[in-house]
Amino acid sequence: GFEYIVTPGGFRNNAVPWMSWSPAGDRIAYFARTEKKKTLILQNVVNRKIERRVELKNVDMPESPDIHPDGRHVAFSALSGAIGDIFVVDVESGEVKNLTNDEFGDYAPTYSPDGKSIIYLARVSGNDKLFRLDLAAGTKTQISFGTHDDGGAQYLDDDTIVFPSTAVNPNEPIDPEVARNGNIYNIWTLNLKNGELRQY
């Protein structure tokens, strides 16, 4: 019932996710091309049946869905007025809400295990950096720094994220000429409580 599964476009296609597992591990979320629009698909992986289709008519180029722990909401990135933001859709009602609504290009949302915050990428001063959005307060906090690009994060546990980065050390800026030619992603973890970074 759709043409193809949508993967993230442009330079982000290998640095951000294009599908999401539900916390229970029984469903996946992805976007599919349906005629001229993109549709969010929630599919049961046990019986292989599509449980929900949510057509997104008010945003452009949605990508990188992430299922909330409650199973009812899905965060994703999309364009609105040619600016990338993080959105959330209620899969029961179809209501879409813009969560970031700022001048930065925002991508690759991932919910915290308790569902109270989202880690996402924002393009700041020419580099992709990690931010954390407190969903109740609406506050955004930058959590990675430097003159290199970071990729989409995932939670290892309640306090630790794993993410790709072109950094030598995400705590230290590097020469712009080195950064320009250093497009090799390595795997890092960041402890959100004490700020400890580890390279793998």
Side-chain angles (χ1 to χ4, degrees):
F2 49 80
E3 295 177 47
Y4 56 84
I5 293 174
V6 176
T7 56
F11 63 90
R12 294 184 311 282
N13 63 3
N14 64 350
V16 300
W18 58 269
M19 61 167 283
S20 169
W21 286 91
S22 67
D26 59 347
R27 292 191 298 168
I28 56 172
Y30 56 90
F31 287 102
R33 174 71 182 254
T34 53
E35 297 180 1
K36 293 184 178 180
K37 295 292 179 183
K38 305 280 183 3
T39 298
L40 175 66
I41 306 291
L42 287 170
Q43 185 169 350
N44 187 307
V45 296
V46 179
N47 61 23
R48 299 186 181 185
K49 295 190 183 303
I50 291 176
E51 295 181 343
R52 290 257 189 259
R53 291 171 178 258
V54 183
E55 191 172 285
L56 298 168
K57 298 179 179 178
N58 299 323
V59 295
D60 296 317
M61 300 178 66
E63 63 182 40
S64 301
D66 193 67
I67 302 172
H68 189 281
D70 67 10
R72 178 170 175 165
H73 297 89
V74 176
F76 62 95
S77 60
L79 297 179
S80 176
I83 296 175
D85 280 313
I86 305 300
F87 297 82
V88 64
V89 61
D90 183 321
V91 298
E92 302 288 337
S93 68
E95 179 186 0
V96 176
K97 180 181 177 184
N98 189 330
L99 297 178
T100 51
N101 199 21
D102 56 32
E103 68 274 13
F104 302 112
D106 303 324
Y107 309 100
T110 185
Y111 281 106
S112 60
D114 63 9
K116 294 181 178 179
S117 64
I118 287 177
I119 301 285
Y120 67 97
L121 288 174
R123 192 142 185 90
V124 179
S125 299
N127 295 109
D128 292 331
K129 304 282 90 185
L130 291 165
F131 282 72
R132 180 165 45 185
L133 170 66
D134 182 304
L135 293 171
T139 54
K140 304 168 198 169
T141 306
Q142 187 171 345
I143 59 172
S144 72
F145 304 89
T147 53
H148 54 270
D149 288 318
D150 300 320
Q154 296 293 318
Y155 275 84
L156 285 180
D157 56 41
D158 290 349
D159 301 316
T160 309
I161 58 171
V162 59
F163 64 100
S165 178
T166 61
V168 176
N169 179 342
N171 276 333
E172 297 176 7
I174 56 176
D175 181 87
E177 192 61 37
V178 174
R180 189 175 298 115
N181 296 316
N183 295 321
I184 298 172
Y185 284 96
N186 291 293
I187 303 300
W188 292 78
T189 57
L190 171 62
N191 184 299
L192 298 172
K193 279 194 168 178
N194 61 24
E196 179 191 11
L197 281 158
R198 294 182 63 190
Q199 183 180 8
Y200 289 84

